[in-house]
Amino acid sequence: MAALQLSTLEALSANQADTINQWISQLEASGATRNVRESDLRQQTAELLGLLLAALAKQAGTQIGDSGWDDTRRFLERLSNSRAQLGHESHQTAHFIFALKGVLFARLQAAYRDQPELLAEQLWEISELLDALAMHTIGTFQRSREAVIKRQQEELLELSTPVVKLWDGVLALPMIGTLDSQRSQTVMESLLQAIVDTGSEIAIIDITGVPTVDTLVAQHLLKTVTAIRLMGADCIVSGVRPQIAQTIVHLGLDLGELVTKASLADALKLALARMGVTVSKAV
């Protein structure tokens, strides 16, 4: 494999301010600067160009896994994380590197105008280097985006399973959407912890907002009810609409001793009755 020439480094190091300006112009034309402040963009391009030239000056080679590229890799990882937080796509993040190609290629073409074979070698080396840096950036971006998505999913799960205190000793958990294994686990943990924290005797799970109840959903509900009873509390499932009741009958699902009510109001009325509380209208 051909090595980078000293004259290549000199060509790339010349007129760095002009290189940065052209690079930024390429980024702006491609739309890769969305939500990025101009001052931040200028600082990022200047820093990466400086790191790139510094690594090449130290003869770090073009294998970016080598220790000579540690600072550059760390910079690209920070850049990828920030782009993921800004909601950029992976191709926009990668274009931060690819946009530099055209600018550097033009410099090399001018430097090796009369040496076509050497020009081809040096272009290939720089192209391989920038491609490797871009792939590292994409890989880091994907991991960052996956971490963001996972955190958002966890936050949504927490928000979608609010435990509400309806009365002293009575908790309610209104559910909206599909009840899958992950959400069922979150529901169980949230409700059990709330029972411990409040010392409640009765928990109401309201499934009015659950679109369908199949065998899997029924199993999740029964597991949650069993866990609640093991904690010494009782459980009532409310929001059983006619369609859900028919589905349960057609599927032949055995809900055991599970107590169900048509509405949350009915479930609360039953819960209060079990606690010996009577509610009446003021005269």
Side-chain angles (χ1 to χ4, degrees):
M1 181 180 291
L4 287 175
Q5 301 292 314
L6 178 60
S7 53
T8 295
L9 180 59
E10 292 174 348
L12 300 182
S13 300
N15 271 329
Q16 293 185 34
D18 188 47
T19 298
I20 292 171
N21 288 333
Q22 292 183 45
W23 185 5
I24 291 176
S25 296
Q26 292 285 339
L27 290 170
E28 290 175 341
S30 67
T33 60
R34 180 171 58 89
N35 297 335
V36 182
R37 294 182 299 182
E38 183 179 353
S39 58
D40 291 340
L41 182 63
R42 188 163 293 276
Q43 185 271 331
Q44 291 165 355
T45 51
E47 185 174 354
L48 179 55
L49 182 61
L51 290 170
L52 180 65
L53 295 175
L56 292 176
K58 294 177 183 177
Q59 298 182 341
T62 56
Q63 300 299 316
I64 68 165
D66 296 342
S67 59
W69 292 98
D70 286 349
D71 291 340
T72 306
R73 291 198 309 274
R74 282 193 287 268
F75 168 81
L76 291 176
E77 288 161 6
R78 293 195 303 272
L79 178 76
S80 298
N81 289 332
S82 67
R83 292 295 194 268
Q85 296 290 338
L86 290 172
H88 283 208
E89 299 294 337
S90 57
H91 66 86
Q92 290 176 298
T93 306
H95 196 69
F96 183 81
I97 306 296
F98 291 138
L100 181 59
K101 265 191 177 185
V103 181
L104 298 187
F105 283 7
R107 293 293 171 85
L108 294 182
Q109 287 172 340
Y112 296 109
R113 185 179 296 106
D114 301 324
Q115 300 171 281
E117 291 185 2
L118 188 56
L119 171 62
E121 290 180 354
Q122 298 303 290
L123 286 177
W124 178 260
E125 288 296 303
I126 292 298
S127 180
E128 288 278 283
L129 172 61
L130 294 180
D131 286 347
L133 293 174
M135 292 303 297
H136 181 73
T137 303
I138 291 175
T140 304
F141 176 88
Q142 294 290 4
R143 290 190 294 274
S144 299
R145 175 58 67 84
E146 289 170 1
V148 169
I149 293 173
K150 182 178 180 180
R151 186 177 68 252
Q152 291 174 340
Q153 288 176 335
E154 292 172 351
E155 291 173 352
L156 285 173
L157 278 175
E158 292 175 359
L159 291 173
S160 64
T161 54
V163 179
V164 182
K165 184 176 181 180
L166 296 181
W167 199 274
D168 288 339
V170 181
L171 298 177
L173 191 149
M175 299 189 60
I176 299 175
T178 303
L179 184 63
D180 55 19
S181 298
Q182 183 180 5
R183 192 176 181 199
S184 175
Q185 183 65 29
T186 304
V187 166
M188 188 183 300
E189 292 174 357
S190 300
L191 199 48
L192 294 182
Q193 188 60 50
I195 290 172
V196 172
D197 294 340
T198 62
S200 297
E201 302 174 9
I202 299 177
I204 300 173
I205 300 178
D206 184 66
I207 61 172
T208 303
V210 177
T212 58
V213 172
D214 55 16
T215 304
L216 185 61
V217 172
Q219 289 175 351
H220 290 323
L221 284 174
L222 289 175
K223 288 179 182 178
T224 303
V225 172
T226 301
I228 292 171
R229 287 175 176 169
L230 289 173
M231 295 293 296
D234 202 357
C235 184
I236 302 171
V237 175
S238 65
V240 180
R241 304 184 304 279
Q243 298 88 339
I244 290 180
Q246 292 177 25
T247 300
I248 292 175
V249 171
H250 289 320
L251 292 175
L253 300 177
D254 182 12
L255 300 183
E257 299 178 357
L258 180 61
V259 178
T260 61
K261 288 294 179 180
S263 67
L264 180 58
D266 292 338
L268 177 59
K269 183 178 179 180
L270 175 61
L272 294 177
R274 289 184 176 182
M275 297 179 65
V277 177
T278 302
V279 179
S280 60
K281 292 183 180 180
V283 179

